[in-house]
Amino acid sequence: MDNSEETVGDADYVFLARVDEKTGTEYKNTTQIETEDGTKEISTPYTNYKVTVLENMKGELETNTSIPVQKAGGISEDGSSIVTFDEDNLPAAGQSYVFLAMHKKMVLYLFQARIQT
């Protein structure tokens, strides 16, 4: 996060939450690339979680209730690698983080997560 004030300004929500569980991975933005072995389809993984909001810092999300969220990144579709963006990390179940999120098409997309210590 280069400019935290700018990043928070872009977020619809900023909140402290506990990750309850990882609920799966969706693959989006499928494209074809050329490899030495021929054409290969690749896609971007989006990991789905259930989190419990403990405290709102910006915006109003329901607290003390498990809600679904989605974060760009996760296990590649072929299972060969973990995809993350811009030195980000994937949340771990049982841990609490300060999340920044945007709300689009009834899905809460996480775009930053920092460990709360």
PDB file of all heavy atoms in Angstrom, residues 75-108:
ATOM      1  N   ILE A  75      -5.275 -20.266  -5.458  1.00  0.00           N
ATOM      2  CA  ILE A  75      -4.614 -21.385  -6.124  1.00  0.00           C
ATOM      3  C   ILE A  75      -4.977 -21.367  -7.609  1.00  0.00           C
ATOM      4  O   ILE A  75      -6.148 -21.231  -7.963  1.00  0.00           O
ATOM      5  CB  ILE A  75      -5.036 -22.720  -5.477  1.00  0.00           C
ATOM      6  CG1 ILE A  75      -4.600 -22.734  -4.011  1.00  0.00           C
ATOM      7  CG2 ILE A  75      -4.440 -23.908  -6.224  1.00  0.00           C
ATOM      8  CD1 ILE A  75      -5.122 -23.899  -3.215  1.00  0.00           C
ATOM      9  N   SER A  76      -3.959 -21.483  -8.465  1.00  0.00           N
ATOM     10  CA  SER A  76      -4.202 -21.504  -9.908  1.00  0.00           C
ATOM     11  C   SER A  76      -5.105 -22.680 -10.265  1.00  0.00           C
ATOM     12  O   SER A  76      -5.175 -23.675  -9.532  1.00  0.00           O
ATOM     13  CB  SER A  76      -2.886 -21.588 -10.681  1.00  0.00           C
ATOM     14  OG  SER A  76      -2.216 -22.799 -10.385  1.00  0.00           O
ATOM     15  N   GLU A  77      -5.795 -22.556 -11.383  1.00  0.00           N
ATOM     16  CA  GLU A  77      -6.772 -23.573 -11.761  1.00  0.00           C
ATOM     17  C   GLU A  77      -6.142 -24.954 -11.924  1.00  0.00           C
ATOM     18  O   GLU A  77      -6.755 -25.964 -11.606  1.00  0.00           O
ATOM     19  CB  GLU A  77      -7.499 -23.158 -13.042  1.00  0.00           C
ATOM     20  CG  GLU A  77      -8.790 -23.888 -13.258  1.00  0.00           C
ATOM     21  CD  GLU A  77      -9.703 -23.204 -14.253  1.00  0.00           C
ATOM     22  OE1 GLU A  77      -9.304 -22.229 -14.905  1.00  0.00           O
ATOM     23  OE2 GLU A  77     -10.851 -23.663 -14.364  1.00  0.00           O
ATOM     24  N   ASP A  78      -4.888 -25.006 -12.388  1.00  0.00           N
ATOM     25  CA  ASP A  78      -4.226 -26.304 -12.536  1.00  0.00           C
ATOM     26  C   ASP A  78      -3.553 -26.769 -11.242  1.00  0.00           C
ATOM     27  O   ASP A  78      -2.957 -27.835 -11.183  1.00  0.00           O
ATOM     28  CB  ASP A  78      -3.223 -26.278 -13.695  1.00  0.00           C
ATOM     29  CG  ASP A  78      -2.035 -25.348 -13.454  1.00  0.00           C
ATOM     30  OD1 ASP A  78      -1.911 -24.770 -12.352  1.00  0.00           O
ATOM     31  OD2 ASP A  78      -1.231 -25.191 -14.399  1.00  0.00           O
ATOM     32  N   GLY A  79      -3.660 -25.945 -10.174  1.00  0.00           N
ATOM     33  CA  GLY A  79      -3.124 -26.313  -8.867  1.00  0.00           C
ATOM     34  C   GLY A  79      -1.617 -26.217  -8.749  1.00  0.00           C
ATOM     35  O   GLY A  79      -1.043 -26.637  -7.750  1.00  0.00           O
ATOM     36  N   SER A  80      -0.955 -25.632  -9.763  1.00  0.00           N
ATOM     37  CA  SER A  80       0.508 -25.619  -9.764  1.00  0.00           C
ATOM     38  C   SER A  80       1.130 -24.443  -9.024  1.00  0.00           C
ATOM     39  O   SER A  80       2.329 -24.449  -8.762  1.00  0.00           O
ATOM     40  CB  SER A  80       1.025 -25.630 -11.210  1.00  0.00           C
ATOM     41  OG  SER A  80       0.674 -24.410 -11.860  1.00  0.00           O
ATOM     42  N   SER A  81       0.331 -23.415  -8.689  1.00  0.00           N
ATOM     43  CA  SER A  81       0.913 -22.246  -8.040  1.00  0.00           C
ATOM     44  C   SER A  81      -0.138 -21.473  -7.258  1.00  0.00           C
ATOM     45  O   SER A  81      -1.338 -21.681  -7.423  1.00  0.00           O
ATOM     46  CB  SER A  81       1.554 -21.326  -9.081  1.00  0.00           C
ATOM     47  OG  SER A  81       0.578 -20.851  -9.982  1.00  0.00           O
ATOM     48  N   ILE A  82       0.349 -20.566  -6.412  1.00  0.00           N
ATOM     49  CA  ILE A  82      -0.516 -19.635  -5.690  1.00  0.00           C
ATOM     50  C   ILE A  82      -0.321 -18.269  -6.326  1.00  0.00           C
ATOM     51  O   ILE A  82       0.808 -17.791  -6.457  1.00  0.00           O
ATOM     52  CB  ILE A  82      -0.185 -19.600  -4.189  1.00  0.00           C
ATOM     53  CG1 ILE A  82      -0.474 -20.970  -3.567  1.00  0.00           C
ATOM     54  CG2 ILE A  82      -0.988 -18.510  -3.480  1.00  0.00           C
ATOM     55  CD1 ILE A  82      -0.081 -21.097  -2.111  1.00  0.00           C
ATOM     56  N   VAL A  83      -1.417 -17.654  -6.730  1.00  0.00           N
ATOM     57  CA  VAL A  83      -1.385 -16.359  -7.398  1.00  0.00           C
ATOM     58  C   VAL A  83      -1.756 -15.271  -6.401  1.00  0.00           C
ATOM     59  O   VAL A  83      -2.802 -15.357  -5.752  1.00  0.00           O
ATOM     60  CB  VAL A  83      -2.386 -16.343  -8.583  1.00  0.00           C
ATOM     61  CG1 VAL A  83      -2.403 -14.980  -9.261  1.00  0.00           C
ATOM     62  CG2 VAL A  83      -2.069 -17.452  -9.573  1.00  0.00           C
ATOM     63  N   THR A  84      -0.895 -14.278  -6.242  1.00  0.00           N
ATOM     64  CA  THR A  84      -1.200 -13.085  -5.442  1.00  0.00           C
ATOM     65  C   THR A  84      -0.778 -11.865  -6.248  1.00  0.00           C
ATOM     66  O   THR A  84      -0.024 -11.977  -7.219  1.00  0.00           O
ATOM     67  CB  THR A  84      -0.486 -13.080  -4.072  1.00  0.00           C
ATOM     68  OG1 THR A  84       0.921 -13.145  -4.290  1.00  0.00           O
ATOM     69  CG2 THR A  84      -0.936 -14.228  -3.204  1.00  0.00           C
ATOM     70  N   PHE A  85      -1.238 -10.705  -5.844  1.00  0.00           N
ATOM     71  CA  PHE A  85      -0.980  -9.480  -6.581  1.00  0.00           C
ATOM     72  C   PHE A  85      -0.320  -8.440  -5.693  1.00  0.00           C
ATOM     73  O   PHE A  85      -0.689  -8.284  -4.525  1.00  0.00           O
ATOM     74  CB  PHE A  85      -2.297  -8.924  -7.133  1.00  0.00           C
ATOM     75  CG  PHE A  85      -2.981  -9.904  -8.044  1.00  0.00           C
ATOM     76  CD1 PHE A  85      -3.943 -10.771  -7.564  1.00  0.00           C
ATOM     77  CD2 PHE A  85      -2.636  -9.973  -9.380  1.00  0.00           C
ATOM     78  CE1 PHE A  85      -4.560 -11.682  -8.401  1.00  0.00           C
ATOM     79  CE2 PHE A  85      -3.241 -10.892 -10.223  1.00  0.00           C
ATOM     80  CZ  PHE A  85      -4.203 -11.743  -9.740  1.00  0.00           C
ATOM     81  N   ASP A  86       0.656  -7.716  -6.256  1.00  0.00           N
ATOM     82  CA  ASP A  86       1.286  -6.575  -5.589  1.00  0.00           C
ATOM     83  C   ASP A  86       1.735  -6.875  -4.163  1.00  0.00           C
ATOM     84  O   ASP A  86       1.421  -6.153  -3.223  1.00  0.00           O
ATOM     85  CB  ASP A  86       0.330  -5.373  -5.565  1.00  0.00           C
ATOM     86  CG  ASP A  86      -0.035  -4.903  -6.962  1.00  0.00           C
ATOM     87  OD1 ASP A  86       0.826  -5.002  -7.846  1.00  0.00           O
ATOM     88  OD2 ASP A  86      -1.166  -4.449  -7.148  1.00  0.00           O
ATOM     89  N   GLU A  87       2.461  -7.956  -3.989  1.00  0.00           N
ATOM     90  CA  GLU A  87       2.988  -8.338  -2.678  1.00  0.00           C
ATOM     91  C   GLU A  87       1.898  -8.516  -1.626  1.00  0.00           C
ATOM     92  O   GLU A  87       2.109  -8.317  -0.435  1.00  0.00           O
ATOM     93  CB  GLU A  87       4.028  -7.311  -2.200  1.00  0.00           C
ATOM     94  CG  GLU A  87       5.217  -7.197  -3.118  1.00  0.00           C
ATOM     95  CD  GLU A  87       6.230  -6.167  -2.654  1.00  0.00           C
ATOM     96  OE1 GLU A  87       6.281  -5.863  -1.444  1.00  0.00           O
ATOM     97  OE2 GLU A  87       6.968  -5.667  -3.505  1.00  0.00           O
ATOM     98  N   ASP A  88       0.700  -8.856  -2.070  1.00  0.00           N
ATOM     99  CA  ASP A  88      -0.419  -9.075  -1.171  1.00  0.00           C
ATOM    100  C   ASP A  88      -0.315 -10.466  -0.558  1.00  0.00           C
ATOM    101  O   ASP A  88       0.535 -11.264  -0.950  1.00  0.00           O
ATOM    102  CB  ASP A  88      -1.736  -8.919  -1.946  1.00  0.00           C
ATOM    103  CG  ASP A  88      -2.919  -8.625  -1.054  1.00  0.00           C
ATOM    104  OD1 ASP A  88      -2.738  -8.449   0.162  1.00  0.00           O
ATOM    105  OD2 ASP A  88      -4.042  -8.566  -1.582  1.00  0.00           O
ATOM    106  N   ASN A  89      -1.176 -10.771   0.382  1.00  0.00           N
ATOM    107  CA  ASN A  89      -1.219 -12.104   0.958  1.00  0.00           C
ATOM    108  C   ASN A  89      -2.657 -12.600   0.955  1.00  0.00           C
ATOM    109  O   ASN A  89      -3.589 -11.831   0.766  1.00  0.00           O
ATOM    110  CB  ASN A  89      -0.632 -12.114   2.374  1.00  0.00           C
ATOM    111  CG  ASN A  89      -1.352 -11.157   3.308  1.00  0.00           C
ATOM    112  OD1 ASN A  89      -2.513 -10.833   3.119  1.00  0.00           O
ATOM    113  ND2 ASN A  89      -0.659 -10.695   4.326  1.00  0.00           N
ATOM    114  N   LEU A  90      -2.820 -13.881   1.132  1.00  0.00           N
ATOM    115  CA  LEU A  90      -4.148 -14.468   1.238  1.00  0.00           C
ATOM    116  C   LEU A  90      -4.477 -14.655   2.708  1.00  0.00           C
ATOM    117  O   LEU A  90      -3.653 -15.164   3.476  1.00  0.00           O
ATOM    118  CB  LEU A  90      -4.210 -15.803   0.499  1.00  0.00           C
ATOM    119  CG  LEU A  90      -4.005 -15.704  -1.011  1.00  0.00           C
ATOM    120  CD1 LEU A  90      -3.911 -17.096  -1.619  1.00  0.00           C
ATOM    121  CD2 LEU A  90      -5.114 -14.914  -1.663  1.00  0.00           C
ATOM    122  N   PRO A  91      -5.651 -14.230   3.123  1.00  0.00           N
ATOM    123  CA  PRO A  91      -6.027 -14.356   4.532  1.00  0.00           C
ATOM    124  C   PRO A  91      -6.072 -15.818   4.992  1.00  0.00           C
ATOM    125  O   PRO A  91      -6.413 -16.709   4.219  1.00  0.00           O
ATOM    126  CB  PRO A  91      -7.430 -13.742   4.575  1.00  0.00           C
ATOM    127  CG  PRO A  91      -7.529 -12.900   3.355  1.00  0.00           C
ATOM    128  CD  PRO A  91      -6.679 -13.562   2.329  1.00  0.00           C
ATOM    129  N   ALA A  92      -5.743 -16.027   6.241  1.00  0.00           N
ATOM    130  CA  ALA A  92      -5.763 -17.366   6.831  1.00  0.00           C
ATOM    131  C   ALA A  92      -6.929 -17.480   7.806  1.00  0.00           C
ATOM    132  O   ALA A  92      -7.207 -16.552   8.575  1.00  0.00           O
ATOM    133  CB  ALA A  92      -4.457 -17.633   7.568  1.00  0.00           C
ATOM    134  N   ALA A  93      -7.613 -18.618   7.772  1.00  0.00           N
ATOM    135  CA  ALA A  93      -8.736 -18.863   8.682  1.00  0.00           C
ATOM    136  C   ALA A  93      -8.269 -18.739  10.128  1.00  0.00           C
ATOM    137  O   ALA A  93      -7.170 -19.165  10.481  1.00  0.00           O
ATOM    138  CB  ALA A  93      -9.331 -20.240   8.430  1.00  0.00           C
ATOM    139  N   GLY A  94      -9.110 -18.101  10.947  1.00  0.00           N
ATOM    140  CA  GLY A  94      -8.810 -17.928  12.357  1.00  0.00           C
ATOM    141  C   GLY A  94      -8.035 -16.664  12.680  1.00  0.00           C
ATOM    142  O   GLY A  94      -7.906 -16.301  13.843  1.00  0.00           O
ATOM    143  N   GLN A  95      -7.518 -15.992  11.664  1.00  0.00           N
ATOM    144  CA  GLN A  95      -6.750 -14.762  11.866  1.00  0.00           C
ATOM    145  C   GLN A  95      -7.638 -13.538  11.653  1.00  0.00           C
ATOM    146  O   GLN A  95      -8.623 -13.600  10.931  1.00  0.00           O
ATOM    147  CB  GLN A  95      -5.564 -14.705  10.901  1.00  0.00           C
ATOM    148  CG  GLN A  95      -4.574 -15.833  11.086  1.00  0.00           C
ATOM    149  CD  GLN A  95      -3.897 -15.770  12.446  1.00  0.00           C
ATOM    150  OE1 GLN A  95      -3.358 -14.748  12.846  1.00  0.00           O
ATOM    151  NE2 GLN A  95      -3.944 -16.883  13.166  1.00  0.00           N
ATOM    152  N   SER A  96      -7.262 -12.422  12.275  1.00  0.00           N
ATOM    153  CA  SER A  96      -7.983 -11.155  12.104  1.00  0.00           C
ATOM    154  C   SER A  96      -7.143 -10.203  11.276  1.00  0.00           C
ATOM    155  O   SER A  96      -5.909 -10.171  11.417  1.00  0.00           O
ATOM    156  CB  SER A  96      -8.294 -10.535  13.459  1.00  0.00           C
ATOM    157  OG  SER A  96      -9.210 -11.350  14.166  1.00  0.00           O
ATOM    158  N   TYR A  97      -7.811  -9.441  10.424  1.00  0.00           N
ATOM    159  CA  TYR A  97      -7.145  -8.523   9.508  1.00  0.00           C
ATOM    160  C   TYR A  97      -7.945  -7.231   9.418  1.00  0.00           C
ATOM    161  O   TYR A  97      -9.160  -7.226   9.616  1.00  0.00           O
ATOM    162  CB  TYR A  97      -7.087  -9.111   8.092  1.00  0.00           C
ATOM    163  CG  TYR A  97      -6.341 -10.412   7.972  1.00  0.00           C
ATOM    164  CD1 TYR A  97      -6.982 -11.622   8.210  1.00  0.00           C
ATOM    165  CD2 TYR A  97      -5.013 -10.438   7.580  1.00  0.00           C
ATOM    166  CE1 TYR A  97      -6.306 -12.827   8.082  1.00  0.00           C
ATOM    167  CE2 TYR A  97      -4.328 -11.645   7.446  1.00  0.00           C
ATOM    168  CZ  TYR A  97      -4.982 -12.833   7.695  1.00  0.00           C
ATOM    169  OH  TYR A  97      -4.307 -14.018   7.563  1.00  0.00           O
ATOM    170  N   VAL A  98      -7.256  -6.158   9.050  1.00  0.00           N
ATOM    171  CA  VAL A  98      -7.938  -4.942   8.620  1.00  0.00           C
ATOM    172  C   VAL A  98      -8.100  -5.079   7.115  1.00  0.00           C
ATOM    173  O   VAL A  98      -7.110  -5.228   6.388  1.00  0.00           O
ATOM    174  CB  VAL A  98      -7.125  -3.678   8.976  1.00  0.00           C
ATOM    175  CG1 VAL A  98      -7.784  -2.449   8.364  1.00  0.00           C
ATOM    176  CG2 VAL A  98      -7.010  -3.528  10.484  1.00  0.00           C
ATOM    177  N   PHE A  99      -9.334  -5.095   6.654  1.00  0.00           N
ATOM    178  CA  PHE A  99      -9.646  -5.258   5.237  1.00  0.00           C
ATOM    179  C   PHE A  99     -10.116  -3.947   4.638  1.00  0.00           C
ATOM    180  O   PHE A  99     -10.798  -3.160   5.297  1.00  0.00           O
ATOM    181  CB  PHE A  99     -10.776  -6.281   5.046  1.00  0.00           C
ATOM    182  CG  PHE A  99     -10.382  -7.702   5.330  1.00  0.00           C
ATOM    183  CD1 PHE A  99     -10.876  -8.342   6.459  1.00  0.00           C
ATOM    184  CD2 PHE A  99      -9.562  -8.411   4.484  1.00  0.00           C
ATOM    185  CE1 PHE A  99     -10.562  -9.659   6.729  1.00  0.00           C
ATOM    186  CE2 PHE A  99      -9.228  -9.730   4.735  1.00  0.00           C
ATOM    187  CZ  PHE A  99      -9.730 -10.353   5.866  1.00  0.00           C
ATOM    188  N   LEU A 100      -9.767  -3.732   3.387  1.00  0.00           N
ATOM    189  CA  LEU A 100     -10.330  -2.663   2.580  1.00  0.00           C
ATOM    190  C   LEU A 100     -11.116  -3.360   1.493  1.00  0.00           C
ATOM    191  O   LEU A 100     -10.650  -4.351   0.928  1.00  0.00           O
ATOM    192  CB  LEU A 100      -9.231  -1.803   1.950  1.00  0.00           C
ATOM    193  CG  LEU A 100      -8.508  -0.849   2.905  1.00  0.00           C
ATOM    194  CD1 LEU A 100      -7.519  -1.590   3.778  1.00  0.00           C
ATOM    195  CD2 LEU A 100      -7.804   0.225   2.113  1.00  0.00           C
ATOM    196  N   ALA A 101     -12.312  -2.875   1.195  1.00  0.00           N
ATOM    197  CA  ALA A 101     -13.166  -3.598   0.254  1.00  0.00           C
ATOM    198  C   ALA A 101     -14.001  -2.650  -0.587  1.00  0.00           C
ATOM    199  O   ALA A 101     -14.310  -1.530  -0.179  1.00  0.00           O
ATOM    200  CB  ALA A 101     -14.083  -4.560   1.016  1.00  0.00           C
ATOM    201  N   MET A 102     -14.366  -3.151  -1.768  1.00  0.00           N
ATOM    202  CA  MET A 102     -15.289  -2.452  -2.662  1.00  0.00           C
ATOM    203  C   MET A 102     -16.502  -3.349  -2.864  1.00  0.00           C
ATOM    204  O   MET A 102     -16.373  -4.572  -2.900  1.00  0.00           O
ATOM    205  CB  MET A 102     -14.627  -2.157  -3.999  1.00  0.00           C
ATOM    206  CG  MET A 102     -13.461  -1.207  -3.880  1.00  0.00           C
ATOM    207  SD  MET A 102     -12.742  -0.806  -5.470  1.00  0.00           S
ATOM    208  CE  MET A 102     -13.944   0.390  -6.027  1.00  0.00           C
ATOM    209  N   HIS A 103     -17.652  -2.744  -3.016  1.00  0.00           N
ATOM    210  CA  HIS A 103     -18.893  -3.478  -3.203  1.00  0.00           C
ATOM    211  C   HIS A 103     -19.316  -3.359  -4.666  1.00  0.00           C
ATOM    212  O   HIS A 103     -19.565  -2.263  -5.153  1.00  0.00           O
ATOM    213  CB  HIS A 103     -19.974  -2.900  -2.284  1.00  0.00           C
ATOM    214  CG  HIS A 103     -21.195  -3.745  -2.214  1.00  0.00           C
ATOM    215  ND1 HIS A 103     -22.368  -3.370  -2.783  1.00  0.00           N
ATOM    216  CD2 HIS A 103     -21.413  -4.954  -1.647  1.00  0.00           C
ATOM    217  CE1 HIS A 103     -23.274  -4.314  -2.565  1.00  0.00           C
ATOM    218  NE2 HIS A 103     -22.715  -5.277  -1.878  1.00  0.00           N
ATOM    219  N   LYS A 104     -19.336  -4.493  -5.377  1.00  0.00           N
ATOM    220  CA  LYS A 104     -19.738  -4.511  -6.787  1.00  0.00           C
ATOM    221  C   LYS A 104     -20.628  -5.715  -7.025  1.00  0.00           C
ATOM    222  O   LYS A 104     -20.289  -6.831  -6.627  1.00  0.00           O
ATOM    223  CB  LYS A 104     -18.522  -4.635  -7.710  1.00  0.00           C
ATOM    224  CG  LYS A 104     -17.600  -3.449  -7.700  1.00  0.00           C
ATOM    225  CD  LYS A 104     -16.461  -3.679  -8.670  1.00  0.00           C
ATOM    226  CE  LYS A 104     -15.475  -2.552  -8.609  1.00  0.00           C
ATOM    227  NZ  LYS A 104     -14.316  -2.782  -9.463  1.00  0.00           N
ATOM    228  N   LYS A 105     -21.739  -5.495  -7.692  1.00  0.00           N
ATOM    229  CA  LYS A 105     -22.637  -6.590  -8.094  1.00  0.00           C
ATOM    230  C   LYS A 105     -22.936  -7.553  -6.949  1.00  0.00           C
ATOM    231  O   LYS A 105     -22.834  -8.760  -7.086  1.00  0.00           O
ATOM    232  CB  LYS A 105     -22.071  -7.343  -9.291  1.00  0.00           C
ATOM    233  CG  LYS A 105     -21.943  -6.495 -10.531  1.00  0.00           C
ATOM    234  CD  LYS A 105     -21.405  -7.310 -11.678  1.00  0.00           C
ATOM    235  CE  LYS A 105     -21.188  -6.425 -12.892  1.00  0.00           C
ATOM    236  NZ  LYS A 105     -20.575  -7.153 -13.987  1.00  0.00           N
ATOM    237  N   MET A 106     -23.259  -7.012  -5.797  1.00  0.00           N
ATOM    238  CA  MET A 106     -23.641  -7.801  -4.620  1.00  0.00           C
ATOM    239  C   MET A 106     -22.512  -8.685  -4.088  1.00  0.00           C
ATOM    240  O   MET A 106     -22.743  -9.623  -3.348  1.00  0.00           O
ATOM    241  CB  MET A 106     -24.883  -8.660  -4.916  1.00  0.00           C
ATOM    242  CG  MET A 106     -26.101  -7.855  -5.325  1.00  0.00           C
ATOM    243  SD  MET A 106     -26.553  -6.563  -4.147  1.00  0.00           S
ATOM    244  CE  MET A 106     -27.079  -7.554  -2.768  1.00  0.00           C
ATOM    245  N   VAL A 107     -21.275  -8.401  -4.465  1.00  0.00           N
ATOM    246  CA  VAL A 107     -20.128  -9.132  -3.931  1.00  0.00           C
ATOM    247  C   VAL A 107     -19.196  -8.120  -3.288  1.00  0.00           C
ATOM    248  O   VAL A 107     -18.928  -7.066  -3.844  1.00  0.00           O
ATOM    249  CB  VAL A 107     -19.369  -9.895  -5.048  1.00  0.00           C
ATOM    250  CG1 VAL A 107     -18.122 -10.565  -4.492  1.00  0.00           C
ATOM    251  CG2 VAL A 107     -20.271 -10.924  -5.716  1.00  0.00           C
ATOM    252  N   LEU A 108     -18.709  -8.431  -2.119  1.00  0.00           N
ATOM    253  CA  LEU A 108     -17.752  -7.575  -1.431  1.00  0.00           C
ATOM    254  C   LEU A 108     -16.358  -8.048  -1.830  1.00  0.00           C
ATOM    255  O   LEU A 108     -15.924  -9.124  -1.447  1.00  0.00           O
ATOM    256  CB  LEU A 108     -17.950  -7.695   0.079  1.00  0.00           C
ATOM    257  CG  LEU A 108     -17.330  -6.636   0.950  1.00  0.00           C
ATOM    258  CD1 LEU A 108     -17.871  -5.253   0.603  1.00  0.00           C
ATOM    259  CD2 LEU A 108     -17.595  -6.936   2.402  1.00  0.00           C
TER     260      LEU A 108
END
